[in-house]
Amino acid sequence: MEKSISILIIYTGGTIGMVNDPVTGALVPIDFRHISGQVPELRRFGFNLESVTFDPVIDSSDVSPETWIRIADTISDNYDHFDGFVVLHGTDTMAYSASALSFMLSGLEKPVIFTGAQLPIGVLRTDGKENLITAIEIAAARENELPLVPEVCIYFENKLLRGNRTIKFSAEHFNAFSSPNLPPLAEAGLQIRYNRNLIRYPTVRRPLTVSAKFDTGVAVLRLFPGIGHSVVSAVLKTKELHGLILETYGTGNAPTLDWFLDEIRSFIAEGGIVLNVTQCPAGAVEMGLYETSAGLRAAGVISGKDITTEAAVTKMMILLGSSLPKVKVETLLSKPLSGEMS
Ligand code: ASP
């Protein structure tokens, strides 16, 4: 008899898992061990569904590298026993967590699908049921006995997006996430249509390993017209700051003022790393296209191309935490490690 597909649901917290307490009326987390009671449709899959719930569950604003390590360890400890993983997570920082996991899990050959909801699963108009049901279906999808999507992804409101390409762009709509620089890996309509040519499949088989060292000496500096010297200087002189994500204009442009470039130059000369990421949700940094980015390039700033800030922050933390020499970290920042840039 064919072995049934096993999926592990990891509930970290967030709106999706909330129901109204019948006595107090307050929103409280549901017990995912009884998820089929809340979402009876799940029984019809015939899959073996098991769950792990974080204790305590956390709003995703409290997510930190420790949370990512817990999620990664849960996946790694259960890797051989399950065909796929569904991570239920608050939407606010889901794009950071999915990005982090994509860099932490090397040799991943099974689906890790993040999802959540804008309205709790216990609310009549919830978007959580559809998100959960389809995320499970995608985590279980196989072709020629191999997983169809062996990647870290976010499934939300009909679209499967590569996790490290995704941003949360709406605080209001069910359609809350987008992947401006990469089309969806799948779209769910009457059928789930997979874009197989975009999905990354392993080329060499390696055992799963988890990178769990982070250096949080990272900052994001978003430029704006009129930004003051003292502000830039205060950020760059922060103790223990090793990496800066510079959110620039358009294709990677920044002020040409001497004091600005001097600050950047001395940060880099003292061992710091600066990654240029565009403030525009879509498109890429092209340093040297305009005079206003040529100075950054000459100062030793690295192009983040079309990486999201979420992926840039997590990639920087992991690479800085890896104890690799600075030149190696710079080389790895400038090329895709997990499909995060074109
Ligand atoms: N604040 C919540 C969180 O991110 C919102 C949500 O669950 O979507 O945890």
Side-chain angles (χ1 to χ4, degrees):
M1 202 178 98
E2 216 187 301
K3 178 183 155 289
S4 84
I5 302 260
S6 291
I7 302 295
L8 183 65
I9 301 170
I10 304 169
Y11 178 48
T12 64
T15 300
I16 187 167
M18 299 290 179
V19 283
N20 286 100
D21 183 294
V23 181
T24 63
L27 279 174
V28 290
I30 57 172
D31 184 345
F32 268 89
R33 283 172 306 174
H34 307 302
I35 183 63
S36 304
Q38 284 293 331
V39 190
E41 297 89 330
L42 291 177
R43 293 204 186 97
R44 293 170 49 191
F45 275 136
F47 301 149
N48 168 38
L49 298 178
E50 292 184 31
S51 67
V52 172
T53 299
F54 273 27
D55 182 17
V57 292
I58 49 169
D59 186 285
S60 80
S61 303
D62 281 323
V63 159
S64 67
E66 284 75 56
T67 320
W68 301 332
I69 293 168
R70 259 181 92 185
I71 300 172
D73 285 347
T74 307
I75 292 170
S76 158
D77 292 348
N78 291 283
Y79 196 66
D80 293 339
H81 306 298
F82 290 90
D83 300 290
F85 302 85
V86 171
V87 183
L88 303 180
H89 193 290
T91 53
D92 290 345
T93 62
M94 193 188 291
Y96 288 90
S97 295
S99 297
L101 267 289
S102 78
F103 300 121
M104 294 170 79
L105 300 173
S106 310
L108 183 70
E109 293 181 0
K110 296 183 179 181
V112 174
I113 313 295
F114 279 72
T115 195
Q118 295 282 63
L119 277 180
I121 210 150
V123 168
L124 208 53
R125 289 181 52 249
T126 185
D127 52 332
K129 277 194 188 180
E130 196 282 323
N131 285 348
L132 175 64
I133 291 169
T134 309
I136 291 174
E137 185 161 349
I138 291 170
R142 297 173 80 78
E143 196 170 58
N144 304 326
E145 312 214 340
L146 288 172
L148 212 52
V149 192
E151 288 207 41
V152 180
C153 297
I154 290 182
Y155 176 76
F156 218 87
E157 177 76 0
N158 305 332
K159 284 196 243 63
L160 182 73
L161 308 172
R162 178 170 299 149
N164 57 28
R165 290 293 197 140
T166 304
I167 55 172
K168 181 176 180 184
F169 79 97
S170 176
E172 187 181 352
H173 295 121
F174 285 155
N175 183 9
F177 289 91
S178 79
S179 163
N181 288 321
L182 188 77
L185 302 187
E187 284 179 84
L190 290 183
Q191 289 171 0
I192 303 177
R193 295 201 185 279
Y194 293 91
N195 289 323
R196 288 174 179 70
N197 55 332
L198 293 178
I199 299 171
R200 298 176 80 235
Y201 292 98
T203 43
V204 278
R205 301 207 63 181
R206 291 179 288 147
L208 182 80
T209 53
V210 176
S211 306
K213 290 215 178 92
F214 291 83
D215 178 349
T216 54
V218 166
V220 178
L221 180 62
R222 185 177 173 94
L223 295 178
F224 54 89
I227 190 167
H229 187 170
S230 56
V231 171
V232 173
S233 176
V235 172
L236 290 174
K237 298 222 165 31
T238 305
K239 226 170 119 233
E240 309 285 316
L241 182 72
H242 303 128
L244 180 78
I245 315 292
L246 188 64
E247 280 198 350
T248 56
Y249 310 125
T251 52
N253 305 309
T256 52
L257 298 165
D258 285 343
W259 67 257
F260 179 76
L261 289 171
D262 285 347
E263 288 287 351
I264 299 281
R265 267 192 290 267
S266 43
F267 177 69
I268 293 172
E270 279 157 30
I273 296 179
V274 181
L275 186 68
N276 187 350
V277 169
T278 173
Q279 293 178 11
C280 299
V285 163
E286 283 180 65
M287 288 208 292
L289 191 63
Y290 290 92
E291 194 54 37
T292 43
S293 61
L296 293 179
R297 187 165 64 180
V301 172
I302 301 159
S303 172
K305 299 176 189 139
D306 59 354
I307 197 169
T308 62
T309 297
E310 290 85 337
V313 167
T314 52
K315 184 176 179 183
M316 182 89 99
M317 282 187 188
I318 289 181
L319 289 178
L320 289 173
S322 65
S323 329
L324 290 166
K326 183 181 174 194
V327 277
K328 183 75 183 158
V329 170
E330 288 176 329
T331 310
L332 294 175
L333 277 173
S334 61
K335 61 178 205 182
L337 301 183
S338 197
E340 74 280 11
M341 47 167 70
S342 303

